[in-house]
Amino acid sequence: MSGQILRATDLTADVTVDCDVCIVGSGAGGAVLAAGLVADGHDVVMLEAGGHYTRDEFKGDEAWSFDRMYQERGSRATRDLALTILQGRSVGGSTTINWTTCYRTPDRVLNHWAEVHGIPLSADDLLPHFEAIEHRLNIQEWPASAANANNQVLLRGGRALGWDPHPLRRNVRGCMNSGYCGLGCPVDAKQAMGVSYLDDAVKAGLRIYSNVEAQKIVHADGRVSAVTATVLDHESDHPTGVTVTVRPKVFVSACGAINGPGLFLKSGIESGGRMGRRTFLHPVSGIAGLYDEPIKPWHGAPQSAGCHHFAERPGKMGYFLESAPLQPMIASTVGFHVATETQEFMGQLGNIGVLIALGIDGFLPEDVGGTVKLYDGRPWVDYPVRPHLAEAVQHAHQSMARCHIAAGARRAVSLHTTPVEIVSEADLPALAAAPYGAHHHSMFTAHVMGGCAMGGDPERSVVDLEHRLRGFDNVFVVDGSVLPTSLGVNPSQTIYGLAHRARAFVAAAV
Amino acid sequence: MGSTRRRFLKFGLGGVILLAVPGVGLGLRPSVLVEPAAPLRTFNQRQFSVLAAVAETMCPGAPGLPSGVELGVAEALDHLYSRMDPSTGKDIGAILDLLENALAGALLDGRVRTFTACSAEQRREVLDAWRTSAISVRRAIFKALRGFVMAAYWGDRRTWDFIGYGGMPDYTKVPSPMPFDAYIASLEAAKTTEQPAEETP
């Protein structure tokens, strides 16, 4: 039985749908789970608030892609606006617009989860799931020889400093090295969910309702009986007035670590006050480097090198280093400068490389991360930039500036409200003396994790070890929101792997 | 941003945003209104005029680079907000009202003109005062406004020649990778002929 992908234009009258499993969200978690469930013969319906787009529409136009395939048209932010949140919103979720970086969950993270959060999940437990994912998504190391100039900066500078930067792995097949992963792959080389697990699942019977936003979970006595949703106009994103009601045997939230907790909170499910808490962001800071040679930071695989030299800093927040692609629109938003200063920056864009540092949040005892709350019915992440994060950003600024200089940059430039220029290591004290914290420098995130923390202790967790929402028989959470901490690596493969593992638990509940 | 956000902004600015309501004292100072090139969907003409002045100040243009006004940045943002949660447009409108208000400007920056009535140099000074303010919320507002304006401007392909950016090459004739099942079958076939197929980046 072949399924289908419905759009808003297909949904002109109210409809009620019965099924075995309703999954809200079509990203890394929902897609892998759906493919497994339909392969087992289950009738699965998936709701996706975003639209459905394919390679024919991916022209590398930032304005078009951010407008259609990012949450809040690319303008989502933490509550105090200190961090911009880049998060996907279309069929395939963030996998449609991510930068393809794949890591298995690090052992030290699994060990921490076992010791602190009561999650006895070992690398051996996850191995068969990761191997299956790596096979289907063709996850392989991207050779250093193919790394673009922006990533060569990290490899070259990091090696010169003895930091052991490494090539990383990507989920691509037939990649043209275009550099446009973040705007939708123009050749379907990226093994995003839309061309992999969702494609498999639809061929096997999955029904996807795109442009349909879940509004409320109807529940009583620990069981969900229905999910109500509204159809959104595919252009304006405003409700068309048409509703979709799904009556599943089992309900799965897979709509991410902001919208997922938001949906539960809107439905009156607070999990003892723990719903939405412990939200982690891998908060990102960056430094630009100006090079004599062309960098063309818009070209080539966006990320192909990583460095974890600073991942573990005892008593302090660790961080890891990567590179970030810069097409013009996103490049223009990274600083605080305006007018002729911006024009000068943009005029030099072809010679600019950008290093980023991602804070590894959730491991210090005092680091409780952020909280997803509803404000006038909309979910927001309240994520204060606390002193331990400001210290990590300050330290990371030193590291990134040193890496740029070691890689041969003419100068490095911070993204402070008043930028600091670093020509040599002698300038580092001035960089260290600059202010750090909310709105003193640019920060963003592309990794939203937590909010429905998994754990062994019912009093400290939102879902149990089998992804089941505590206090409910037929509700599961299968996405990045179950992570009890951040990961210290890009999270997509961990989410794929956990979803692959969760298939058996969800299937058993049907 | 929701109305709760607006309350947050009010508290963060020590109540100054409350003075942005037109019709009070210096708030009566006249605005210099401009005509939008397209019917407005989110802002009133006053708010639009402030946004156009911000765009003109942040994106003045240069030889070979059109200005923010020439590229219709304010019109593009007015359209963008109309397709977002209505609270976003309302909040941006409140920020534009605050920026324009001469009484708020007098209290925050010592200027007694509306933003639209300021010279280009004065507008730059006003925006710099927001950028470098000791008040975190002012820097947050500046960054948010700047982000929208810059994205609308540099996301417009008419700025790309200045950057030396040619846009994405045309990949429409590049075939998609073969379906997964066929791909696996091809690998198996290659194994049997002892000619392993390898991915080439």
Side-chain angles (χ1 to χ4, degrees):
Chain A
M1 180 185 78
S2 182
Q4 56 187 333
I5 303 178
L6 296 162
R7 294 175 163 87
T9 46
D10 301 316
L11 300 164
T12 53
D14 293 354
V15 61
T16 298
V17 186
D18 293 308
C19 61
D20 291 333
V21 181
C22 174
I23 301 174
V24 174
S26 63
V32 173
L33 177 66
L37 292 173
V38 295
D40 289 342
H42 296 299
D43 179 16
V44 183
V45 166
M46 177 175 274
L47 305 183
E48 167 56 54
H52 175 48
Y53 306 103
T54 61
R55 64 166 280 184
D56 295 340
E57 296 161 281
F58 301 154
K59 306 295 186 193
D61 183 337
E62 290 177 279
W64 187 93
S65 293
F66 275 85
D67 196 83
R68 287 162 180 79
M69 299 197 295
Y70 283 74
Q71 294 286 346
E72 300 179 36
R73 304 198 188 274
S75 72
R76 178 168 270 188
T78 53
R79 186 186 172 213
D80 66 359
L81 309 182
L83 284 87
T84 303
I85 299 171
L86 300 179
Q87 202 177 18
R89 186 178 187 267
S90 70
V91 171
S94 290
T95 71
T96 309
I97 48 84
N98 75 9
W99 299 339
T100 72
T101 303
C102 290
Y103 284 94
R104 293 184 183 180
T105 318
D107 285 349
R108 61 185 174 78
V109 172
L110 295 175
N111 292 340
H112 179 87
W113 289 358
E115 291 170 13
V116 178
H117 298 282
I119 303 173
L121 200 55
S122 70
D124 284 346
D125 294 333
L126 288 172
L127 183 63
H129 304 292
F130 282 149
E131 287 181 338
I133 295 292
E134 288 160 1
H135 177 66
R136 179 64 186 90
L137 301 184
N138 204 48
I139 295 172
Q140 296 187 25
E141 183 174 296
W142 190 248
S145 58
N148 71 2
N150 201 24
N151 283 272
Q152 293 289 357
V153 164
L154 178 55
L155 290 170
R156 192 166 65 240
R159 282 173 184 154
L161 293 162
W163 293 350
D164 195 26
H166 53 268
L168 47 74
R169 303 199 302 167
R170 308 179 58 224
N171 58 320
V172 295
R173 193 155 60 84
C175 174
M176 303 288 292
N177 222 356
S178 76
Y180 290 87
C181 307
L183 307 180
C185 180
V187 294
D188 278 350
K190 176 165 64 172
Q191 296 302 287
M193 294 300 96
V195 300
S196 57
Y197 281 101
L198 288 178
D199 189 44
D200 299 346
V202 170
K203 285 173 181 164
L206 174 68
R207 288 173 285 168
I208 302 177
Y209 289 73
S210 66
N211 306 118
V212 174
E213 184 173 56
Q215 298 295 331
K216 195 160 277 190
I217 304 162
V218 181
H219 60 95
D221 302 324
R223 287 192 66 82
V224 165
S225 57
V227 182
T228 59
T230 52
V231 179
L232 304 177
D233 180 82
H234 71 288
E235 278 297 330
S236 73
D237 221 25
H238 297 319
T240 63
V242 176
T243 63
V244 174
T245 303
V246 186
R247 297 186 301 199
K249 294 174 184 168
V250 175
F251 169 73
V252 179
S253 172
C255 52
I258 296 177
N259 294 347
L263 178 60
F264 284 121
L265 290 170
K266 274 195 272 191
S267 307
I269 298 171
E270 299 182 350
S271 301
R274 293 182 293 279
M275 180 63 70
R277 293 197 177 273
R278 293 191 66 81
T279 300
F280 301 105
L281 300 179
H282 278 163
V284 181
S285 58
I287 283 198
L290 181 65
Y291 290 80
D292 288 329
E293 70 272 23
I295 299 292
K296 295 189 177 177
W298 53 76
H299 172 75
Q303 289 186 325
S304 52
C307 175
H308 288 75
H309 184 74
F310 299 100
E312 295 180 77
R313 297 195 306 140
K316 296 178 177 175
M317 178 187 276
Y319 59 89
F320 59 111
L321 301 175
E322 292 180 337
S323 301
L326 288 181
Q327 274 93 26
M329 192 178 94
I330 198 76
S332 74
T333 65
V334 299
F336 279 79
H337 44 63
V338 297
T340 50
E341 290 90 334
T342 305
Q343 289 173 186
E344 183 184 1
F345 179 86
M346 295 300 289
Q348 296 173 329
L349 186 60
N351 292 70
I352 287 174
V354 164
L355 294 171
I356 56 174
L358 299 85
I360 304 173
D361 46 351
F363 289 85
L364 295 173
E366 68 270 29
D367 186 0
V368 296
T371 305
V372 174
K373 298 176 187 170
L374 296 179
Y375 294 96
D376 300 314
R378 291 176 65 195
W380 282 83
V381 184
D382 191 355
Y383 190 96
V385 180
R386 299 189 176 93
H388 59 260
L389 173 56
E391 186 279 333
V393 173
Q394 180 194 39
H395 194 278
H397 269 60
Q398 305 282 302
S399 302
M400 290 186 285
R402 291 181 67 201
C403 191
H404 273 307
I405 298 301
R410 194 189 311 163
R411 64 175 183 270
V413 183
S414 79
L415 304 175
H416 279 89
T417 52
T418 301
V420 180
E421 292 200 2
I422 305 96
V423 176
S424 71
E425 297 232 350
D427 297 320
L428 291 175
L431 181 62
Y436 292 90
H439 309 300
H440 287 301
H441 45 76
S442 292
M443 296 187 81
F444 76 96
T445 175
H447 303 161
V448 189
M449 300 158 282
C452 297
M454 180 183 286
D457 181 353
E459 298 302 314
R460 293 176 55 216
S461 56
V462 174
V463 302
D464 67 15
L465 303 179
E466 298 186 346
H467 292 254
R468 192 188 307 262
L469 186 69
R470 292 194 180 281
F472 283 78
D473 289 337
N474 65 341
V475 180
F476 293 81
V477 182
V478 183
D479 60 18
S481 63
V482 303
L483 305 178
T485 64
S486 73
L487 295 169
V489 295
N490 306 56
S492 60
Q493 191 176 346
T494 293
I495 300 169
Y496 299 139
L498 289 177
H500 197 269
R501 174 179 173 270
R503 161 186 178 177
F505 309 133
V506 176
V510 175
Chain B
M1 289 183 279
S3 61
T4 307
R5 172 58 51 80
R6 288 192 291 278
R7 287 197 291 275
F8 159 74
L9 294 176
K10 288 172 191 174
F11 288 124
L13 288 172
V16 170
I17 199 168
L18 296 171
L19 303 173
V21 180
V24 180
L26 285 169
L28 289 170
R29 290 288 174 115
S31 297
V32 178
L33 300 180
V34 296
E35 288 292 331
L40 295 176
R41 306 181 191 204
T42 305
F43 300 128
N44 59 39
Q45 191 180 358
R46 186 170 183 263
Q47 292 165 334
F48 172 84
S49 301
V50 183
L51 185 56
V54 170
E56 186 177 40
T57 310
M58 288 188 173
C59 310
L65 179 67
S67 73
V69 168
E70 288 173 303
L71 294 189
V73 164
E75 284 90 344
L77 290 176
D78 178 76
H79 185 219
L80 172 71
Y81 298 132
S82 75
R83 294 176 296 118
M84 295 177 68
D85 189 286
S87 64
T88 303
K90 285 179 186 169
D91 286 352
I92 296 290
I95 288 170
L96 295 171
D97 285 338
L98 175 64
L99 194 58
E100 176 71 346
N101 189 280
L103 178 54
L107 291 170
L108 290 169
D109 305 318
R111 69 177 159 96
V112 293
R113 293 182 181 189
T114 55
F115 186 78
T116 55
C118 286
S119 67
E121 190 178 343
Q122 288 169 327
R123 288 177 193 165
R124 175 64 197 264
E125 288 171 1
V126 170
L127 292 177
D128 277 345
W130 282 77
R131 174 175 62 86
T132 59
S133 173
I135 302 171
S136 180
V137 175
R138 293 186 76 192
R139 300 195 304 275
I141 290 172
F142 170 84
K143 189 72 163 67
L145 205 50
R146 179 195 181 280
F148 279 118
V149 169
M150 290 299 177
Y153 181 68
W154 296 99
D156 188 317
R157 61 182 64 240
R158 288 171 289 181
T159 64
W160 294 354
D161 281 349
F162 179 82
I163 304 169
Y165 172 71
M168 189 177 81
D170 181 3
Y171 291 108
T172 53
K173 291 188 171 56
V174 176
S176 292
M178 68 178 76
F180 184 68
D181 291 346
Y183 171 69
I184 296 300
S186 76
L187 292 182
E188 294 300 322
K191 275 183 196 168
T192 59
T193 57
E194 296 184 354
Q195 290 177 341
E198 290 189 0
E199 285 298 305
T200 304

